[in-house]
Amino acid sequence: MASKRVIIVGGGIVGLATAFKLGRRLPRLAITVLEKEEAVARHQTGNNSGVLHCGLYYEPGSAKARLAVTGIQEMIAFCREQNIPHEVCGKLVVAAEDTELPRLQALHERGRQNGLQGLKLLNPEEMREIEPHVGGVAALRVPQEGIVDYPSVCAVLLEKIRAQGGRVITGAKVCGLRPTVTGWLAQTARDEFAADFLLNCAGLHSDRVSQLAGEQREVRIVPFRGEYYKIKPERQFLVRHLIYPVPDPQFPFLGVHFTRLIEGGIEAGPNAVLAFAREGYRKTDINVRDLADALGFSGLWRFLGRHKRMCWEELKRSFSKKLFCQALQRLVPEIREDDLESGGAGVRAQAMSPDGLLVQDFHFVRRQNVLHVLNAPSPAATASLAIGEEIAVQIERDLSQ
Ligand SMILES: Cc1cc2nc3c(=O)[nH]c(=O)nc-3n(C[C@H](O)[C@H](O)[C@H](O)COP(=O)(O)OP(=O)(O)OC[C@H]3O[C@@H](n4cnc5c(N)ncnc54)[C@H](O)[C@@H]3O)c2cc1C
């Protein structure tokens, strides 16, 4: 393996965790991570909720379920070993009204099928012992979930990759990929990098990077912005830990919730609105290429046709603090519009198929000498070390053939 070279496109948590795992398995491999920004973790990894998800929601047997269940354990162990601030504070999933009870019970069953221990259905009295200001008629207590700052995890991964002899080059946007006799040539504005194996972890641009390597872009990345509010300091007593709604199966995301941040403070959100730019963190951000790409994709029109009402409601909530607050009041009735201050936003890289369905599971496409990570939405930050390990095993096998 001594003379073999691997290029990883993308210095988010998935690319970095894989570089770390690969370097640990194969110390003599030459690993280079190419990141287009001036620092790592600038996109999804640096703009998320910072929650450690344990695998509650995902279809039993799916890659998401499998990798979240092992991934959260690995992530917590890594944070402990490396002294990265984190906390396993547990979460409540709250049924706001009786009609949500069957879905709450189904979620409990799903969690058990995914092997989660200690889940418990609570009555209103029991739930208010944990979260005194929560509303609703019942809740599911999920003890193993927690909070962390993923950019801090990435800072440690970066150090470890370099200590193992790997390179992480920032300001290096991959703009061309050429197949060669032995592998690939990755082109940036300044340099060219030869590789025996190429790994695409480019998040919001993963479909485009796959196209540079000759893929057809069967599934397309559609950017969904998630906007947050912050709770004013004097009202933060309303939320102790993590309070989530019961997800609506018609709705592809989890719904707005309350999250305590490891560095202090409480966030409320994120909602989910179509973004007019893949890296569009503000409502006014428009990127003509991204917009034309999205509007020219038949899958998006099918998705909009199928989820008209939901998209409209989300859009209204994005522009109306009052409506956003009403969604939060289903979980914590005492929260008032006045308690909310504008927070940040993140953009999810969500893969969509041409028939307008969101790709629910993690999606990897493997070809000779290349692997594309084409869908790594939540809980991929939690699961990143487990994802990295699985990809590293795959690359080791491919390189030794
Ligand atoms: C609002 C929001 C909330 C979330 N909450 C959670 C949560 O609480 N818990 C959880 O587990 N997950 C959460 N997620 C999901 C999680 O953030 C992502 O699954 C994870 O960060 C994906 O990591 P990544 O490395 O694949 O992508 P990214 O972090 O987006 O990294 C991709 C990198 O590739 C780089 N890149 C792109 N194109 C090129 C190119 N051509 N050349 C070089 N570099 C390139 C980008 O600059 C970027 O740094 C959330 C996501 C969002 C948006």
Side-chain angles (χ1 to χ4, degrees), residues 88-294:
V88 180
C89 54
K91 103 171 161 194
L92 287 190
V93 181
V94 175
E97 49 193 64
D98 288 343
T99 52
E100 294 178 0
L101 288 175
R103 280 195 273 129
L104 189 70
Q105 272 145 8
L107 200 60
H108 185 201
E109 189 43 41
R110 177 164 275 196
R112 282 208 296 230
Q113 283 176 20
N114 286 340
L116 302 182
Q117 308 281 318
L119 298 177
K120 192 169 175 232
L121 285 170
L122 307 179
N123 63 32
E125 205 172 281
E126 292 168 321
M127 56 204 242
R128 275 162 215 140
E129 272 171 28
I130 299 171
E131 289 284 356
H133 301 276
V134 80
V137 295
L140 179 64
R141 164 121 178 103
V142 188
Q144 52 277 83
E145 297 213 339
I147 51 176
V148 69
D149 175 51
Y150 288 111
S152 303
V153 174
C154 288
V156 175
L157 286 172
L158 189 64
E159 259 175 42
K160 297 217 155 279
I161 294 163
R162 288 183 170 149
Q164 286 170 175
R167 288 190 299 173
V168 178
I169 304 177
T170 55
K173 178 177 175 176
V174 172
C175 47
L177 289 168
R178 261 197 304 124
T180 62
V181 181
T182 51
W184 293 93
L185 198 65
Q187 295 160 321
T188 68
R190 250 178 295 161
D191 298 296
E192 291 192 329
F193 299 85
D196 300 282
F197 196 97
L198 178 77
L199 176 62
N200 166 9
C201 296
L204 285 153
H205 300 281
S206 53
D207 58 339
R208 289 179 178 157
V209 170
S210 79
Q211 195 173 35
L212 293 177
E215 293 295 320
Q216 292 296 319
R217 284 214 296 164
E218 265 293 298
V219 300
R220 198 75 70 92
I221 291 294
V222 176
F224 284 91
R225 191 174 51 253
E227 297 154 333
Y228 294 90
Y229 281 98
K230 285 190 189 306
I231 313 278
K232 286 184 180 162
E234 62 274 20
R235 298 286 284 170
Q236 287 176 6
F237 68 89
L238 291 174
V239 177
R240 282 189 178 161
H241 303 116
L242 306 172
I243 306 178
Y244 277 61
V246 182
D248 181 344
Q250 303 302 314
F251 186 79
F253 303 105
L254 294 180
V256 291
H257 46 263
F258 293 95
T259 310
R260 185 144 66 79
L261 304 176
I262 195 71
E263 66 271 20
I266 310 274
E267 268 185 351
N271 59 358
V273 281
L274 274 172
F276 297 147
R278 291 192 180 199
E279 291 164 6
Y281 296 99
R282 292 167 307 182
K283 286 186 183 58
T284 48
D285 287 346
I286 296 180
N287 176 300
V288 176
R289 179 185 177 203
D290 293 348
L291 190 57
D293 198 14

Side-chain angles (χ1 to χ4, degrees), residues 360-378:
Q360 293 294 345
D361 209 357
F362 296 149
H363 182 49
F364 308 103
V365 168
R366 224 183 105 210
R367 310 273 184 232
Q368 202 185 358
N369 300 336
V370 56
L371 194 151
H372 301 285
V373 178
L374 293 185
N375 196 45
S378 183

